[in-house]
Structure formats: C-alpha cells, structure tokens
C-alpha cells in the first residue's frame, strides 16, 4: 500500500474550475455557502459541484447513501443511476456549491447514450435486479457455504484419512471454494445494490462479505472507488494495493515505485495472491473502517454512518476468527499441522477469488492510463469508454453462473447496479455498439486465454518490456 501523501490533488473531481463569481442563485443560503471539497461535513455529499445535505434524505436505496457522507460522489452517483435526470437531485436539499470542482471524466457522450438506449431495450427499467435464476443460485451457494462452515468448525477428523472426504485437506479446500462462491455470487451483487430493489435484501446478503473473512463496509469503500476510477494509477485502490510486493500498474522505467523484485512477478504473483485471505483477516482496518486504499485517494470515512458500524464490524470479525481459527484448533489440537489446514482453507479461498479478480483488468493491451488524454489536453474523457477499455470479458453464461457474472467484467463496469444475471443477455449488444464507436472490447472465448494474457501482462509490467518496445499512450 502506498504511504499516505498529500491527496489534495486527488480529491478534485467538469473540466474547468467553478468560479465563485460565476455562480448565480437566488437562494441566499446557497450563495453564502461556497466551499472547498475539504469543507464537506459527514452529512453532505457533492455531485457535479453542488453540495447536498443528506442527513434527513430518505433514499429509495436505503441508508447506504450516508456511507458516502463527506465526499464528492459525482462518478459513484452517476454510475449507479443510469436513468438519472436533474429531477432526481431536486429531491435532496441543496446547501452550497464547490469552488474547486474538477473532473477527468465526462458523461452523456454519444457512446454512452447509444449503449444505454440499446441495453435498456433488453433490460427494462425496474427489471435490472436479480432474477429467479439468480436467487436460486445465490441460495444454493449460501446453503453450500453454511454446510461447509459447520463442517469445518466442528470437524474432529482433520487427520483421519481413512475417509478422504472427512479429512482436513479435503474440507479446507472445499470450504475455501464455498467462501469464494459467496464472494463472487452473493455479496458482490448485493453490495452493488443489484440483487434486489429492496434495500434490506441487499443489506442482508451484503454481509456475506463478513462471513468469508472480509468486511462489508471496507469492501464497499475500496470496490466502489475502484469502479469509479478503474485502472487509474493514482485513484484506483485495486491498482496499487499490492505494492510494493508486486505491481499491477505498468509504471515507466525508472519510476520510484518500480522495484527490482518486480522483474520476477510474472512467476511469483500468483503465490502472493494465495495470501489474500491471511492479509484480510489480519487487517487492522476492521477497527476503524477506514479502508486505506480509498483513504489514500481522498475518500473521507469519518461520518456517523461508518463510525456507528465499527462495533458491528469487529463483532463479525471476532465471530469469523472463532469459527475458523479457534474452533479447528480446539477440535484438532494446537499444532503446525492444524495451522496448515487452516492456511490451506485460506489459500483455497484466496486463489479462487483473487485470480478471477486479477484477470478482469490486467491483460495485454488493457488501458493502463485511461485519463492520458485529459493529462495532455485538459479535455475530460468518456467514462463509459474508459470502463470498456480497462476491462475484459471471457466465456459465456456458464462461466457467469460460477463467477457471479464477473467474467462479464466489461458489462459489469458499464452497468454496476444491474444484476449479474443479465450480463449474458446484454453482452452481444455491448460488443456491437463498441465496434460501431471504435471502442476496444477485450473478449476471450475461454478463461485460460484471459489467464495467459494476465500472466504475460504481469511479466511485462514487472520488467518494463512494454516501455522498451512500445511506450504506452493511454490507448487500449
């Protein structure tokens, strides 16, 4: 994780700054409240340079809106409200405007308008949530998880190999996969608000994150920031969270974040991914719910909504550690062998989850500098286009049923609040429109092809081969 730094340049989110003298508003209270982004309180959010007080706002999606208090949520708001119009924002109390609002991204481009128009002919408004098939799969995975959780926590036969299916090795591997299925197929849709139009359903299923050793609120802080700034080397927490051990970002040769060990990351990064579970359950961020990756890019996490949930987060983590570390040791004895079985469970979960996640945005010709044009010209770039050219899709519907639709990563990043059940249906139309607009869509018919591309990318990113052969221009 990069060390904390001055994040003032990262917290600016319209191409030109809004000058106080240009603001005309008949509301005296609004006129008097011209503030900087750092001046937002925990019950305020900024959207398109306008500050709204959400303390008493009853949001159709539930209280989760208060999770973002104190931040500029222009991109997050826009990406999960694809049917947005100005009338939606009129429902919130406007209390001021920002004088330092900027954005590297733009919306309502011809590409965005056409892709939304065509996709919404397939998935009608209000129908974008989980289907009967989705809930059947979700509850099947939930039942499988609880069966394996009970088995792992109560087993006294870790070292009995007379019945292989009762052994600790088999139980650990299968339980790890069962946890990964919850992460892929249940909590992911739910914490995107995509499983159901009923907030309580999403909230409940979202706690699947805590059942597998992570935390719902920390996950949302990092993951929603990742969606907003995919592959942005300074703002996407997923792009730099593994540093300095290995680098997903393809930094220029000589960049201070390049380390000599990265030359070998194409070989060892998969082994490091296997430690994802261990780093997660031991992460002290559970105590304050300040996800460090999101905090590094300027996301504030000191609002009342988050503070009040810290005790619940710690209680859920204590429960997880009791069931999956204390109980196996109590039942099978304190030994290196028992510890090895527990670690095997963690590695099983880690590789199933993290390998699938790493495929999504790290492959040959992925756009590793989506805001390059903005840096050169100051012109905002199409957010929808950047989501396509930083993501990949592999396989089809069957892969989607196993991975919670994460194989349709392009479609997921374009429509993050649409249930994964719909992605196989919209994918052909998305590809068609991308081709029409000259937007590069990465598709691999088989997962092994995406995997091979990821290993190749990680090797070249580590050695700097891309810079030696063809310096990156920001194009995919």
């Amino acid at each position: 994780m990069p060390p904390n730094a001055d994040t003032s340049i990262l917290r600016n989110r319209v191409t030109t700054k809004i000058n106080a003298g240009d603001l005309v508003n008949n509301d005296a209270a609004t006129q008097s409240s011209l503030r900087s982004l750092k001046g937002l309180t925990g019950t305020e959010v900024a959207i398109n340079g306008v500050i709204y007080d959400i303390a008493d706002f009853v949001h159709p999606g539930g209280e989760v809106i208060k999770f973002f208090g104190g931040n500029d949520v222009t991109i997050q708001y826009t990406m999960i409200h694809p049917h947005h119009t100005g009338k939606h924002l009129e429902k919130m109390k406007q209390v001021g405007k920002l004088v330092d609002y900027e954005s590297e991204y733009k919306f309502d481009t011809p590409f965005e308008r056409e892709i939304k128009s065509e996709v919404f002919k397939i998935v009608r408004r209000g129908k974008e949530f989980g289907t009967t098939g989705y809930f059947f799969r979700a509850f099947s995975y939930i039942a499988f998880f609880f069966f394996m959780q009970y088995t792992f926590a109560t087993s006294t036969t870790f070292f009995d190999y007379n019945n292989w299916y009762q052994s600790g090795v088999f139980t650990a591997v299968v339980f790890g996969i069962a946890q990964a299925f919850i992460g892929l197929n249940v909590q992911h849709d739910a914490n995107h608000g995509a499983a159901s139009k009923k907030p309580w359903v999403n909230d409940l299923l979202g706690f699947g994150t805590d059942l597998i050793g992570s935390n719902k609120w920390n996950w949302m802080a990092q993951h929603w920031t990742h969606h907003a700034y995919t592959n942005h080397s300074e703002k996407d927490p997923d792009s730099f969270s593994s540093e300095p051990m290995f680098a997903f970002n393809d930094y220029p040769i000589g960049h201070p974040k390049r380390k000599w060990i990265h030359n070998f990351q194409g070989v060892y990064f998969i082994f490091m991914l296997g430690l994802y579970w261990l780093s997660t359950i031991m992460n002290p961020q559970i105590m304050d719910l300040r996800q460090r990756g999101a905090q590094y890019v300027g996301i504030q996490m000191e609002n009342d909504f988050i503070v009040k949930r810290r005790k619940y987060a710690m209680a859920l983590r204590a429960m997880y550690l009791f069931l999956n570390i204390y109980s196996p040791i109590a039942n099978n004895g304190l030994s290196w062998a028992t510890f090895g079985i527990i670690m095997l469970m963690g590695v099983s979960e880690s590789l199933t989850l993290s390998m699938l996640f790493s495929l999504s945005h790290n492959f040959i010709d992925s756009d590793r500098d989506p805001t390059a044009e903005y840096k050169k010209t100051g012109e905002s770039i199409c957010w929808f286009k950047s989501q396509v050219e930083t993501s990949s899709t592999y396989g089809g519907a069957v892969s989607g049923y196993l991975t919670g639709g994460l194989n349709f990563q392009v479609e997921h990043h374009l429509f993050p609040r649409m249930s994964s059940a719909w992605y196989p249906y919209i994918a052909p139309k998305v590809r068609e429109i991308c081709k029409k607009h000259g937007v590069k869509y990465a598709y691999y018919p088989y997962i092994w092809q995406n995997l091979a591309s990821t290993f190749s990318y990680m090797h070249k990113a580590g050695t700097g081969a891309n810079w030696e052969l063809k310096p990156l221009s920001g194009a995919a």
Side-chain angles (χ1 to χ4, degrees):
M1 184 72 64
N4 269 333
D6 180 3
T7 59
S8 59
I9 60 170
L10 302 179
R11 298 193 63 220
N12 296 328
R13 305 287 198 253
V14 242
T15 304
T16 57
K17 291 186 178 181
I18 298 176
N19 297 314
D22 295 335
L23 298 174
V24 179
N25 194 306
N26 293 326
D27 187 328
T30 299
Q31 283 188 328
S32 66
S33 185
L34 304 177
R35 290 182 275 154
S36 69
L37 184 56
K38 289 183 177 181
L40 295 183
T41 70
T43 60
E44 295 174 336
V45 296
I47 301 174
N48 293 323
V50 179
I51 304 170
Y52 299 92
D53 189 327
I54 58 173
D56 300 317
F57 178 58
V58 180
H59 187 261
E63 278 197 325
V64 69
I65 185 177
K66 296 178 181 178
F67 176 84
F68 299 97
N71 294 287
D72 172 15
V73 295
T74 301
I75 296 178
Q76 290 89 335
Y77 168 81
T78 309
M79 74 183 188
I80 64 171
H81 294 88
H83 301 283
H84 157 78
T85 68
K87 292 187 179 296
H88 290 85
L89 295 176
E90 291 176 0
K91 300 175 182 178
M92 295 191 292
K93 181 182 179 182
Q94 181 176 327
V95 295
K97 294 191 177 182
L98 296 178
V99 296
D100 56 351
Y101 170 62
E102 293 183 351
S103 178
E104 297 170 302
Y105 299 94
K106 61 183 176 181
F107 292 89
D108 199 32
T109 63
F111 173 62
E112 175 188 343
R113 289 195 294 270
E114 181 167 3
I115 205 165
K116 286 164 69 173
S117 174
E118 293 301 315
V119 165
F120 293 151
K121 292 177 183 177
I122 301 170
V123 185
R124 297 294 182 178
R125 185 172 185 175
K127 302 295 184 181
E128 66 269 24
F129 301 102
T131 61
T132 301
Y134 164 79
F135 280 103
F136 175 79
R137 292 193 303 276
F139 284 106
S140 296
Y141 288 127
I142 291 170
F144 177 44
F145 164 80
F146 278 113
F147 173 76
M148 291 309 304
Q149 173 67 87
Y150 176 81
T151 301
F152 189 78
T154 62
S155 174
T156 58
T157 60
F158 272 11
F159 309 111
D160 179 2
Y161 295 99
N162 292 322
N163 295 312
W164 59 268
Y165 55 86
Q166 292 181 324
S167 69
V169 171
F170 178 80
T171 303
V173 171
V174 176
F175 181 42
I177 294 172
Q179 291 182 88
F181 280 159
I182 294 295
L184 295 169
N185 295 277
V186 180
Q187 71 84 23
H188 191 266
D189 273 45
N191 284 324
H192 272 284
S196 172
K197 64 172 60 178
K198 298 178 180 178
W200 70 267
V201 174
N202 292 319
D203 203 35
L204 181 62
L205 295 180
F207 281 108
T209 320
D210 295 84
L211 295 180
I212 64 175
S214 186
N215 170 257
K216 170 186 174 72
W217 298 294
N218 275 337
W219 185 91
M220 289 176 64
Q222 174 164 340
H223 195 70
W224 283 49
T225 306
H226 155 68
H227 267 268
Y229 306 106
T230 310
N231 277 9
H232 193 303
S233 63
E234 296 175 321
K235 296 182 180 179
D236 179 0
D238 284 11
S239 75
F240 55 69
S241 60
S242 60
E243 298 171 6
M245 293 306 299
F246 60 91
F248 285 122
N249 285 321
D250 191 1
Y251 294 112
I253 294 176
H255 193 283
K257 290 186 177 180
R258 277 196 175 276
K259 309 299 179 185
W260 68 269
I261 196 173
H262 295 166
N263 287 288
F264 310 101
Q265 68 178 25
V267 175
Y268 71 77
F269 90 98
I270 188 171
F271 298 102
M272 298 305 300
L273 291 178
L275 299 177
Y276 172 75
W277 173 83
L278 183 63
S279 67
T280 299
I281 65 166
M282 301 302 293
N283 196 325
Q285 296 169 24
I286 191 68
M287 300 176 68
D288 60 14
L289 295 187
R290 294 194 194 108
Q291 206 287 322
R292 298 303 186 266
Q295 186 179 44
Y296 175 76
V297 305
I299 302 298
Q300 298 300 303
M301 288 165 283
E302 277 297 318
N303 58 65
D304 288 344
F305 180 90
I306 292 178
V307 170
K308 291 178 180 178
R309 280 155 178 77
R310 288 172 180 166
K311 57 181 178 289
Y312 303 116
M314 288 187 283
L316 287 167
R317 179 58 53 82
M319 178 189 73
Y320 184 86
L321 296 176
F322 175 83
L323 289 173
N324 299 302
I325 295 183
Y326 173 80
S327 294
I329 292 174
N331 292 329
N332 297 277
L334 177 60
S335 67
W336 285 111
T338 302
F339 177 74
I341 295 295
I342 295 172
M343 280 301 302
L344 179 61
M345 176 271 289
V347 170
S348 174
E349 177 188 353
S350 297
L351 291 179
T352 307
L353 275 175
S354 56
M355 277 307 302
L356 293 176
F357 279 119
S358 65
L359 299 179
S360 304
H361 308 289
N362 307 287
F363 52 91
I364 296 297
D365 291 332
S366 61
D367 190 347
R368 300 307 309 190
D369 194 6
T371 59
E373 192 63 27
Y374 172 83
K375 296 172 185 175
K376 294 176 183 176
T377 67
E379 290 293 323
S380 300
I381 57 101
C382 173
W383 184 84
F384 268 65
K385 178 177 182 290
S386 75
Q387 295 304 300
V388 176
E389 297 188 339
T390 57
S391 307
S392 66
T393 288
Y394 65 84
V398 175
S399 296
Y401 299 151
L402 294 173
T403 66
L406 290 181
N407 60 312
F408 292 98
Q409 199 66 198
V410 173
E411 290 70 23
H412 175 54
H413 271 252
L414 289 173
F415 301 97
R417 206 184 174 198
M418 179 182 290
S419 171
S420 58
W422 291 105
Y423 296 150
Y425 299 97
I426 69 172
K429 182 57 68 174
V430 169
R431 291 175 209 162
E432 176 187 324
I433 298 170
C434 286
K435 183 177 181 180
K436 176 181 176 181
H437 286 263
V439 176
K440 295 182 179 179
Y441 182 111
Y443 174 65
Y444 298 91
Y446 301 100
I447 186 174
W448 67 264
Q449 296 170 316
N450 201 162
L451 185 63
S453 184
T454 294
F455 272 91
S456 180
Y457 168 78
M458 291 300 292
H459 170 70
K460 291 182 177 180
T463 61
N466 289 319
W467 292 92
E468 294 174 355
L469 298 176
K470 186 185 69 173
L472 299 183
S473 62

